[in-house]
Amino acid sequence: MNNKTVYLNGQYVPLDEAKVSVMDRGFLFGDGVYEVIPCYLGQLFHFQAHVDRLTASLAGIRMANPYSTEQWLDIFKPLMDVSENQYIYVQITRGVAPKRDHAFPEKTPPTIFAMCNNILPFAGLETGVKAITLDDSRWQFCNIKAIALLAHLLHRQDAVEKDCAEAILINRDGFVTEGAASNLFAVIDGVLLTPPKSNQILAGITRDVILELAAKNNIACREANISLAELKTASEIWVTSSTREIIPVVELDGVAVADGKVGAVWHAMNSIFQAYKQSLL
Ligand code: PDD
């Protein structure tokens, strides 16, 4: 039994009672998008940026954002607990159509679901984690935060089965794209690098915040394509996301990253990031 309150199509209901039709296009086709928004002690982190990305994801699948930023805030507020560090998960699908048809239905209202969960402390934050590299087998619209995550799941599962926390994905040209559920940063020749935004990566909000904080704090940083060979020379590798923040990778494909310890640039950036989060509360 889980009686936590969730939001579904205009109503607040216990999780166990939140039901969606099997004809929902999210269920049948994975036809929808989502967002994950951190919510620290009741404060949504970079909320407008998340709403903007949601609008862009919806536009990418030819749907309109049904609500304004203020309306989304009103929807999320009753789900939030001001004494916890949490994240909002919000999902919008193309709704319930009368028949299964690949082509979009006409005038079907979207299905809108939101829930709020606690962010659990991530064990690898201080010690660093292991990662593997894999060929990126995802589609050509990775900038859209689509609920159809099967390729991402297969990549992550391959990592988990090799006792790794993340899979770092390599495109056909031999360049790093991102993690299965994270963006990638690497310190190479003393410069913090991250792949540029493109249709091959999700434009992470955490990634943007790190780039801003690096610029403000005189940490040499730029967007650049990183080949697998270059990645293997990195003195630090991090993977970043809203729920795990900045995770240092200390072993890649079974080989230690530099001396196998969490690096100095990570320590600096993590302190800056934590202080920045605090400053917004
Ligand atoms: N995922 N790239 C991918 C493929 C992701 O799934 C995520 C995050 C990111 C990082 O984006 P952000 O910093 O905005 O969280 C990059 C979320 C956390 C998830 O699917 O649960």
Side-chain angles (χ1 to χ4, degrees):
M1 276 288 281
N2 190 330
N3 282 323
K4 189 171 72 130
T5 299
V6 301
Y7 172 91
L8 182 62
N9 296 330
Q11 307 216 300
Y12 293 92
V13 290
L15 181 60
D16 286 349
E17 289 169 31
K19 301 275 189 281
V20 177
S21 165
V22 292
M23 293 306 287
D24 192 277
R25 290 179 62 93
F27 179 70
L28 289 177
F29 295 116
D31 185 1
V33 298
Y34 74 108
E35 262 305 318
V36 174
I37 313 166
C39 178
Y40 302 116
L41 306 175
Q43 297 287 327
L44 288 158
F45 183 73
H46 285 244
F47 185 43
Q48 188 59 50
H50 280 279
V51 172
D52 290 347
R53 188 172 66 184
L54 180 63
T55 304
S57 291
L58 284 163
I61 65 164
R62 299 189 233 164
M63 288 179 72
N65 189 336
Y67 296 124
S68 67
T69 304
E70 293 68 32
Q71 287 171 316
W72 281 120
L73 187 59
D74 288 344
I75 288 172
F76 297 152
K77 264 198 178 145
L79 305 173
M80 293 160 24
D81 181 339
V82 297
S83 63
E84 299 282 357
N85 288 330
Q86 302 182 302
Y87 68 91
I88 297 280
Y89 175 86
V90 56
Q91 166 170 324
I92 304 172
T93 78
R94 208 180 304 277
V96 178
K99 63 178 170 53
R100 181 179 176 276
D101 183 348
H102 288 66
F104 297 166
E106 270 173 38
K107 296 195 189 110
T108 302
T111 299
I112 303 173
F113 169 65
M115 64 180 170
C116 193
N117 293 319
N118 288 358
I119 297 180
L120 303 173
F122 182 67
L125 186 70
E126 298 291 334
T127 54
V129 299
K130 298 184 207 171
I132 52 167
T133 57
L134 292 174
D135 290 341
D136 191 340
S137 67
R138 301 173 305 158
W139 68 335
Q140 292 303 308
F141 304 104
C142 292
N143 53 315
I144 299 173
K145 203 162 172 58
I147 59 169
L149 286 174
L150 194 49
H152 300 69
L153 307 188
L154 290 170
H155 287 323
R156 172 60 72 80
Q157 189 60 24
D158 276 350
V160 168
E161 286 171 10
K162 292 200 165 66
D163 195 27
C164 289
E166 186 56 306
I168 293 172
L169 308 177
I170 310 296
N171 70 16
R172 285 181 187 181
D173 300 321
F175 290 100
V176 179
T177 54
E178 59 180 340
S182 56
N183 291 117
L184 178 125
F185 285 81
V187 180
I188 297 175
D189 293 333
V191 182
L192 182 61
L193 302 177
T194 193
K197 287 181 186 174
S198 75
N199 64 329
Q200 294 186 36
I201 72 167
L202 183 77
I205 308 299
T206 320
R207 175 190 175 282
D208 278 346
V209 171
I210 292 169
L211 287 174
E212 265 173 48
L213 292 176
K216 275 194 197 132
N217 289 275
N218 297 317
I219 295 176
C221 184
R222 68 189 162 78
E223 294 175 279
N225 288 312
I226 304 168
S227 70
L228 177 56
E230 285 164 335
L231 185 68
K232 301 234 176 209
T233 70
S235 57
E236 297 189 29
I237 299 174
W238 317 333
V239 287
T240 68
S241 74
S242 291
T243 44
R244 291 183 171 183
E245 302 184 343
I246 314 171
I247 303 294
V249 174
V250 292
E251 190 184 299
L252 185 69
D253 292 334
V255 177
V257 175
D259 62 0
K261 302 225 170 65
V262 175
V265 188
W266 180 85
H267 279 291
M269 180 53 80
N270 191 51
S271 308
I272 292 164
F273 188 84
Q274 298 306 329
Y276 174 65
K277 263 171 60 182
Q278 252 347 88
S279 75
L280 300 179
L281 298 183

